[in-house]
């Protein structure tokens, strides 16, 4: 495809044509979870956002190496340079080994991502598996004069760095702003400057997770892992670094400073950030205690949930907004997303049952236009809501064909199926089986079996109607309705769907 792909670059604050450094190869690093609890809706958004980026870049013919890390050490409470490691704290409270906690919640994270239809990354490195690389990064920064040792800890010298380079280019913050914001932080006593951040922390006696280093037995600062692992797997210069907007400062700002301080220039060309999911107008997050976990969404097990929502409903809810827009959680919004998803899937089912007609009134030009509009949207900074809007337009055409208001020739029908399937399933990542809440836990085999039973009952109903046995006909329809099956009589017989 000759069409240019435009992406919004947080670093330059504008859309830019995507030009990989080493086409057709693309390197993409995305910040992954800190595994001390179940993933929540806020984790689902970056996972789904960069799954879309991954899918579309691959579709365009790029060979993408997608790296997403697992933070299993060094992420302290409140994201400061002091306090207890979040995973170690969980391990202490539950009387487990820290790696037991990390492995358990890593497994749970993978299960949730799979349910949401997210493709696995190419490489998923763990911070604890790359302590040596992080120590090497710290030593390089020390050797270049942009860090200093203090009581066994090593801190990045932000003021000295700012004299040579500019600190704050991603977030737009000046050094004075950063100093003012950090005056009340703990740990200033062993820092030269309030804005300095830890590259290596000396472990206190009670700290469980620790490694030997030239400076002390300790652990790396949170910001080090992504710089070290991004460089290891994608090289000193790569194309995309992604994550949530909440990571722009301090995490990604510190990553840029670390890269420049260690190698002399920036590692990343395009910084891409998804916006937040809010709940009652406030950012949803573990540290704020206002989050709903993905397993709770899938089971309906939370006071703020009216009922369970399927993984595909969650995915569709997130994709209905552009990734750079804020999305506010509500049951009404999720239920609207569920109905919208149901419309699309009903249209897909109907499309696959359509019989071609030689004298087709739906022209190939319509299908080609639909395809072009969907590509335009995806090439305009991955604009999934516009793609969905175009697919909804296609559902109207499909329903007109089903209602015999329009006809479609075999070649046009095949092309329409191909375009609808490409954008709905291959690129948006919607899964047909188990998509709606009532089917979320069912297997394909069980759903097929249930479908055959319903079809058999409706065939008996059709025979009853043919024999004018209205009592039996109505009884079958009413009993199916009570179980959640909506039955419609059509010109060709009947159709049905499960509504709950």
């Amino acid at each position: 495809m000759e069409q240019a792909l435009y992406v919004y670059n947080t670093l330059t604050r504008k859309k830019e044509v995507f030009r990989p450094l080493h086409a057709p190869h693309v390197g993409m690093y995305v910040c992954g979870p800190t595994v001390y609890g179940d993933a929540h809706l806020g984790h689902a958004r970056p996972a789904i956002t960069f799954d879309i980026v991954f899918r579309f870049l691959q579709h365009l013919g790029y060979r993408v190496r997608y790296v997403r890390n697992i933070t299993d050490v060094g992420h302290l409470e409140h994201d400061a340079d002091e306090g207890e490691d979040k995973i170690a704290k969980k391990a202490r409270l539950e009387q487990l080994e820290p790696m037991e906690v990390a492995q358990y919640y890593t497994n749970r994270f993978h299960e949730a991502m799979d349910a949401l239809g997210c493709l696995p990354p190419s490489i998923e490195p763990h911070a604890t598996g790359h302590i040596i690389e992080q120590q090497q990064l710290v030593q390089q920064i020390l050797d270049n004069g942009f860090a200093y040792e203090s009581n066994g800890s090593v801190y990045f010298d932000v003021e000295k760095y700012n004299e040579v380079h500019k600190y704050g280019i991603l977030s737009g913050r000046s050094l004075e702003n950063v100093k003012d914001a950090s005056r009340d932080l703990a740990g200033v006593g062993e820092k030269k400057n309030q804005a300095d951040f830890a590259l290596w922390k000396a472990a206190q006696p009670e700290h469980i997770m620790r490694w030997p280093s030239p400076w002390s037995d300790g652990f790396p600062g949170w910001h080090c892992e992504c710089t070290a692992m991004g460089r290891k797997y994608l090289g000193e210069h790569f194309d995309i670094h992604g994550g949530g907007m909440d990571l722009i400062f301090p995490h990604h700002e510190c990553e840029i400073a670390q890269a420049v301080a260690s190698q002399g220039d920036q590692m990343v060309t395009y910084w891409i950030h998804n916006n937040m999911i809010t709940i009652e107008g406030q950012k949803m997050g573990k540290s704020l205690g206002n989050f709903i976990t993905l397993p709770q969404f899938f089971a309906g097990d939370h006071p703020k949930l009216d009922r369970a929502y399927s993984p595909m409903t969650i995915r569709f809810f997130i994709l209905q907004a552009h990734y750079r827009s804020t999305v506010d959680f509500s049951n009404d919004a999720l239920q609207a997303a569920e109905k919208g998803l149901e419309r699309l899937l009903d249209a897909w089912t109907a499309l696959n049952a359509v019989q071609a007609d030689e004298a087709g009134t739906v022209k190939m030009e319509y299908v080609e236009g639909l395809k072009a509009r969907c590509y335009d949207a995806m090439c305009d900074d991955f604009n999934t809501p516009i793609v969905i809007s175009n697919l909804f337009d296609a559902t109207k055409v499909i329903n007109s064909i089903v209602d015999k208001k329009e006809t479609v020739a075999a070649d046009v029908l095949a092309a329409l199926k191909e375009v609808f399937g490409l954008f709905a399933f291959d690129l948006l990542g919607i899964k047909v089986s188990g998509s709606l809440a009532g089917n979320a836990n069912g297997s394909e085999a069980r759903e097929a079996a249930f479908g055959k039973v319903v079809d058999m009952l409706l065939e008996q109903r059709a025979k009853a109607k043919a024999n004018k046995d209205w009592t039996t006909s109505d009884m079958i329809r009413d009993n199916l309705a009570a179980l959640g099956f909506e039955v419609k009589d059509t010109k060709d017989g009947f159709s049905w769907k499960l509504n709950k």
Side-chain angles (χ1 to χ4, degrees):
M1 190 181 75
E2 299 298 325
Q3 193 168 357
L5 168 62
Y6 285 83
V7 301
Y8 184 85
N9 191 348
T10 308
L11 187 64
T12 60
R13 293 167 180 76
K14 63 182 181 182
K15 291 180 187 177
E16 299 177 354
V17 177
F18 180 66
R19 294 189 176 95
L21 293 168
H22 306 291
H25 299 276
V26 170
M28 179 170 75
Y29 189 100
V30 177
C31 290
T34 304
V35 283
Y36 68 100
D38 277 328
H40 56 69
L41 195 60
H43 293 114
R45 192 165 198 196
I48 291 169
T49 294
F50 292 100
D51 183 60
I52 295 294
V53 175
F54 186 34
R55 286 171 181 269
F56 192 56
L57 289 176
Q58 287 184 310
H59 173 69
L60 294 180
Y62 292 114
R63 296 179 61 183
V64 185
R65 178 176 288 179
Y66 172 17
V67 181
R68 184 182 66 205
N69 66 301
I70 295 289
T71 299
D72 53 0
V73 68
H75 203 329
L76 304 183
E77 294 177 283
H78 314 301
D79 298 337
D81 281 336
E82 296 295 329
E84 193 168 4
D85 184 294
K86 294 177 180 180
I87 293 167
K89 180 179 180 181
K90 186 84 168 181
R92 178 175 55 77
L93 293 174
E94 298 189 8
Q95 297 185 312
L96 297 170
E97 282 288 329
M99 286 298 101
E100 276 186 280
V101 172
Q103 188 63 58
Y104 176 77
Y105 286 112
T106 299
N107 293 344
R108 299 269 291 180
F109 175 76
H110 289 156
E111 289 167 6
M113 294 304 104
D114 184 59
L116 289 171
C118 294
L119 300 173
S122 315
I123 303 173
E124 192 174 57
H126 291 230
T128 53
H130 298 78
I131 300 298
I132 292 173
E133 288 85 353
Q134 293 176 77
Q135 290 179 351
Q136 289 170 340
L137 172 69
V138 175
Q139 190 62 58
Q140 287 172 338
I141 297 171
L142 276 167
D143 292 344
N144 291 339
F146 295 113
Y148 58 90
E149 186 180 346
S150 178
N151 298 327
S153 294
V154 179
Y155 292 98
F156 190 95
D157 194 331
V158 173
E159 196 156 30
K160 190 166 184 182
Y161 173 85
N162 196 59
E163 291 172 1
V164 182
H165 309 284
K166 179 165 170 47
Y167 184 77
I169 60 172
L170 187 67
S171 62
R173 302 189 187 200
S174 69
L175 181 56
E176 289 307 312
N177 292 149
V178 175
K179 285 180 181 178
D180 290 342
S182 59
R183 288 191 191 282
D184 297 329
L185 289 179
V188 172
E190 60 182 30
K191 299 180 182 180
K192 291 181 181 178
N193 190 300
Q194 300 98 322
D196 295 347
F197 57 90
L199 299 173
W200 184 266
K201 285 293 292 179
Q204 298 302 310
E206 68 276 8
H207 200 94
I208 307 171
M209 300 175 82
R210 58 174 68 212
W211 290 263
S213 80
W215 318 288
S216 64
D217 280 3
F219 53 92
W222 166 40
H223 309 303
C224 287
E225 63 180 277
C226 292
T227 305
M229 295 191 294
R231 179 183 294 168
K232 180 178 178 68
Y233 295 109
L234 298 173
E236 290 190 351
H237 303 98
F238 58 89
D239 301 298
I240 297 171
H241 195 317
M245 279 188 178
D246 58 330
L247 297 178
I248 293 174
F249 188 88
H251 185 47
H252 289 164
E253 197 74 78
C254 293
E255 278 195 62
I256 289 176
Q258 289 172 162
V260 175
S262 62
Q263 68 184 40
D265 59 359
Q266 292 192 50
M267 296 173 69
V268 180
T269 306
Y270 304 93
W271 288 87
I272 300 178
H273 294 91
N274 64 274
N275 213 322
M276 298 296 99
I277 291 182
T278 57
I279 181 165
E280 297 170 348
Q282 187 180 32
K283 176 199 163 188
M284 183 181 289
K286 290 178 184 175
S287 59
L288 298 172
N290 67 345
F291 62 94
I292 305 172
T293 69
L294 293 174
Q296 286 173 326
F297 272 104
F298 303 158
D301 183 22
H302 190 279
K304 289 188 178 292
L305 296 175
D306 290 349
R307 54 187 173 82
Y309 297 99
S310 76
M312 284 302 104
T313 297
I314 300 295
R315 186 178 182 99
F316 195 71
F317 167 68
I318 288 171
L319 293 178
Q320 280 186 306
H322 189 267
Y323 77 88
R324 287 191 287 115
S325 302
T326 304
V327 176
D328 196 54
F329 156 80
S330 72
N331 281 282
D332 288 345
L334 280 170
Q335 287 163 24
E338 185 174 84
K339 289 178 181 176
L341 175 60
E342 186 178 9
R343 276 179 60 201
L344 285 186
L345 295 178
D346 284 350
W348 175 249
T349 301
L351 183 61
N352 282 283
V354 163
Q355 298 297 314
D357 189 309
E358 287 185 17
T361 59
V362 178
K363 301 301 182 185
M364 186 64 81
E365 288 78 8
Y366 168 76
V367 180
E368 290 172 348
L370 172 68
K371 182 178 181 179
R373 292 192 300 275
C374 288
Y375 271 123
D376 287 346
M378 287 299 290
C379 286
D380 183 15
D381 198 28
F382 314 103
N383 202 326
T384 58
I386 299 300
V387 175
I388 290 170
S389 174
N390 284 311
L391 291 176
F392 278 139
D393 180 73
T395 65
K396 295 176 185 176
V397 175
I398 293 166
N399 290 333
S400 293
I401 297 169
V402 171
D403 293 338
K404 309 298 185 185
K405 295 175 183 175
E406 300 267 16
T407 57
V408 60
D411 60 336
V412 179
L413 177 60
L416 183 55
K417 287 180 182 178
E418 181 181 352
V419 171
F420 197 102
L422 169 64
F423 286 95
F425 309 124
D426 297 346
L427 297 181
L428 294 187
I430 301 299
K431 293 192 291 190
V432 177
S433 178
S435 291
L436 300 181
N439 295 334
N441 298 317
S443 67
E444 291 186 31
R446 287 179 63 196
E447 288 174 29
F450 284 134
K452 289 178 181 177
V453 171
V454 175
D455 287 342
M456 182 176 65
L457 285 170
L458 290 176
E459 285 166 6
Q460 294 302 314
R461 177 174 176 264
K463 289 179 182 177
K465 286 179 67 178
N467 294 330
K468 298 185 178 180
D469 182 358
W470 309 120
T471 301
T472 301
S473 170
D474 291 346
M475 180 186 70
I476 293 172
R477 182 199 62 205
D478 294 344
N479 285 341
L480 285 172
L483 294 170
F485 292 94
E486 181 183 335
V487 177
K488 288 184 179 179
D489 292 310
T490 67
K491 294 177 182 178
D492 300 322
F494 58 80
S495 67
W496 63 268
K497 64 181 178 179
L498 182 59
N499 285 330
K500 68 176 184 178

